Amino acid sequence: MSALDFAAMLRAEKRKARSGAVAKPAPQQKSQQSRPAPDAATAALDTSRSRPALQVLPGAPPTIAYAADWISEAEEAAIVAAAKRGDDWVTVRGRRLRRLGGPAGEAGFAPEPLPRWARDACAAAAASDTSSRPVPNHVLVNAYDFAKESYVLPHTDGPAYDDRTFTLSCGADAVVVFKERLKTSDIGVRPATTRCEVLLRRRSLLAFSREAYTECTHEIGAAPDTIGLCCVNLDAAKAHVGDVVGRAGERVSFTLRCARHGAE
């Protein structure tokens, strides 16, 4: 499966929505664009709270790290509620999506202001990393209803971002699978080799960069997962080989990245 281009996918969904909508008067559109977002000033995280450091996972590519219980239950409820206050959700393959920070990857892109809760999450994630990389300025919120078929196809996050991604998981557990990124000539000829699996417990933070970002794809399947020998965070996630990760309720994930400024 080829890599997903999130920016292109989001533009396509918005074009579809516009094609079936009734045009609104220009003055009303201008008024809607100028008003602050419903969640612009909403706080969710305790910025004074000490958070667990990200730990490199033995058996995984060396640029994958994980921290369990990175936020509290109260913070989990608050950040999900804050995100849901937004009125700019769209539906994409297998989930609902909200993009914050602007159209990364487009010519002339400059980051747009983030809501307070998103800024705080980005700053806290960057502080949990020992590298000197820039603080994330872009957030994708994905909501998966596990009562329906919900999944993420194999993809890379692409060159629109600095090659580091943080994923904050809320609401429900899931397993992310990292596989080798096939050369174009190998696609459809042979299957990609699994590099590792990571059990994403609710309230955990995952970080991956460099090799894991550029040379691997990542995905979340549509069916319940059975923990296998490829899972590299059994101890940190308090799991065992053979455990079944069920699909119940709603999972909300927050993908935090630093979008690159676009060229004119």
Side-chain angles (χ1 to χ4, degrees):
M1 180 65 65
S2 60
L4 289 179
D5 183 338
F6 280 111
M9 181 172 62
L10 191 60
R11 290 196 297 272
E13 294 295 333
K14 287 190 172 182
R15 283 197 299 269
K16 286 167 59 179
R18 286 197 297 268
S19 67
V22 177
K24 296 180 181 179
Q28 185 176 355
Q29 286 184 332
K30 183 176 180 181
S31 174
Q32 289 177 343
Q33 292 172 355
S34 62
R35 66 180 175 83
D39 58 334
T42 303
L45 301 188
D46 179 357
T47 56
S48 66
R49 181 175 182 265
S50 178
R51 302 191 186 278
L54 288 159
Q55 301 293 327
V56 174
L57 302 172
T63 55
I64 297 178
Y66 177 87
D69 298 317
W70 191 73
I71 58 174
S72 67
E73 289 189 32
E75 289 176 318
E76 176 187 36
I79 197 169
V80 170
K84 287 187 174 182
R85 291 190 64 193
D87 55 7
D88 51 356
W89 289 86
V90 297
T91 299
V92 296
R93 301 178 183 94
R95 64 202 186 281
R96 293 189 306 122
L97 171 69
R98 190 177 178 205
R99 180 185 66 184
L100 302 170
E106 294 187 0
F109 166 76
E112 298 174 359
L114 294 173
R116 178 180 173 183
W117 62 265
R119 292 197 309 273
D120 290 346
C122 288
S128 295
D129 189 5
T130 57
S131 71
S132 57
R133 301 243 184 153
V135 175
N137 59 12
H138 198 271
V139 177
L140 288 179
V141 189
N142 288 283
Y144 310 84
D145 182 358
F146 282 161
K148 304 175 183 177
E149 187 179 46
S150 295
Y151 54 88
V152 178
L153 294 170
H155 67 283
T156 63
D157 286 357
Y161 305 96
D162 179 55
D163 62 347
R164 180 188 63 178
T165 294
F166 296 102
T167 300
L168 172 61
S169 297
C170 296
D173 301 338
V175 174
V176 61
V177 181
F178 288 88
K179 294 182 179 181
E180 67 168 321
R181 184 180 184 181
L182 293 175
K183 296 179 181 178
T184 302
S185 59
D186 288 332
I187 296 175
V189 176
R190 66 176 181 86
T193 301
T194 297
R195 301 293 303 276
C196 70
E197 298 177 355
V198 182
L199 173 54
L200 304 178
R201 293 292 195 193
R202 57 188 297 184
R203 299 188 298 279
S204 68
L205 184 71
L206 173 75
F208 61 93
S209 60
R210 299 186 179 91
E211 174 192 350
Y213 187 100
T214 59
E215 302 302 322
C216 296
T217 64
H218 54 281
E219 64 189 88
I220 294 176
D225 296 287
T226 299
I227 302 300
L229 296 173
C230 290
C231 186
V232 292
N233 66 328
L234 293 173
D235 290 341
K238 299 180 180 178
H240 303 87
V241 172
D243 288 352
V244 176
V245 181
R247 294 297 178 96
E250 181 183 52
R251 177 175 182 261
V252 180
S253 71
F254 300 83
T255 302
L256 319 176
R257 293 172 292 203
C258 185
R260 304 180 191 275
H261 285 250
E264 296 293 346

